[in-house]
Amino acid sequence: ATLATSGWVAGELERMGLAPHTVGLATDLDVFGPLAGVERRDDLVLSLGRTNPLKRFELTLAALGQVDGADVTLFGSEPRLGDEHGLRYVASPSDAEVNRLYNEATVLVLTSSHEGFSLPPLEAMAAGLPVVCTDADGNRDFCRDGENCLMPEPTPEAVAAAIRRLLDEPDLRARLSAAGLKTAAQYGWEPRIDALERV
């Protein structure tokens, strides 16, 4: 059998004449989830800091430059980006440290042009963190604009407006957080292994 990690990948394989089964990746809900005793801030914007062109880091930066009053934290394996842009950068955090960031932040921002699936938004949802992400192909399987995330057009103005909405609207944050938790529950190891076994 041919397996695909997302509907987009399956579509590309079908164009090659294959008949794939889409299973989707899993996130470890024992690692990524709400933490008791960790207070969620109302001004902390979290994002991956990576120079891979597919991540469109410059778009993220341009959008953040239009958002006043936000405290920005980046994480990943390229700490020089923090130095270059005067931003806090958490270098090579463990999964537990990433989960704590997901529990402290107000919103996760991701502006990739393409992902085969995209685990960070799903991990964030598992922790109850609202997500702003652009359409990145593979994330279409679980990201629903206005339902469990905000999915703006890939322009600095649109991404900035989505970030500002989440910073300014606690009710919207709460609604997206609740929907994100339900989404992530469908992508724990058990349901994904069940899907794989069915194939």
Side-chain angles (χ1 to χ4, degrees):
T2 301
L3 301 178
T5 56
S6 69
W8 183 88
V9 171
E12 294 300 296
L13 292 171
E14 286 168 0
R15 286 174 40 183
M16 298 168 61
L18 299 172
H21 300 274
T22 303
V23 174
L25 301 181
T27 189
D28 192 339
L29 300 180
D30 291 330
V31 174
F32 297 103
L35 291 174
V38 177
E39 186 174 351
R40 188 173 300 285
R41 293 175 49 181
D42 60 7
D43 64 346
L44 178 56
V45 178
L46 182 66
S47 187
L48 280 162
R50 293 187 58 192
T51 54
N52 182 318
L54 292 176
K55 307 303 179 183
R56 287 197 294 212
F57 182 61
E58 294 301 321
L59 172 56
T60 298
L61 281 179
L64 291 172
Q66 298 183 23
V67 180
D68 295 328
D71 188 3
V72 177
T73 292
L74 305 175
F75 69 99
S77 58
E78 300 178 64
R80 66 177 178 80
L81 291 176
D83 297 333
E84 288 175 6
H85 300 286
L87 298 171
R88 178 188 179 217
Y89 196 107
V90 179
S92 302
S94 66
D95 285 349
E97 290 168 333
V98 171
N99 187 51
R100 186 174 182 91
L101 290 171
Y102 289 153
N103 275 266
E104 293 173 346
T106 316
V107 55
L108 177 71
V109 180
L110 300 165
T111 59
S112 296
S113 60
H114 170 75
E115 299 281 354
F117 181 78
S118 195
L119 277 172
L122 197 58
E123 296 167 352
M125 288 179 186
L129 176 59
V131 173
V132 169
C133 62
T134 48
D135 183 342
D137 301 324
N139 62 353
R140 295 173 191 162
D141 284 12
F142 63 91
C143 289
R144 299 283 179 266
D145 182 32
E147 294 181 24
N148 62 5
C149 69
L150 296 182
M151 190 177 278
E153 290 298 310
T155 67
E157 295 76 17
V159 175
I163 296 169
R164 281 195 298 266
R165 280 193 67 194
L166 281 169
L167 293 176
D168 293 343
E169 300 179 31
D171 290 348
L172 176 61
R173 293 200 303 268
R175 181 167 62 78
L176 294 183
S177 174
L181 287 167
K182 290 179 180 178
T183 298
Q186 301 169 27
Y187 286 87
W189 275 110
E190 288 193 16
R192 293 299 94 201
I193 289 172
D194 288 346
L196 180 60
E197 288 178 339
R198 286 194 293 273
V199 171

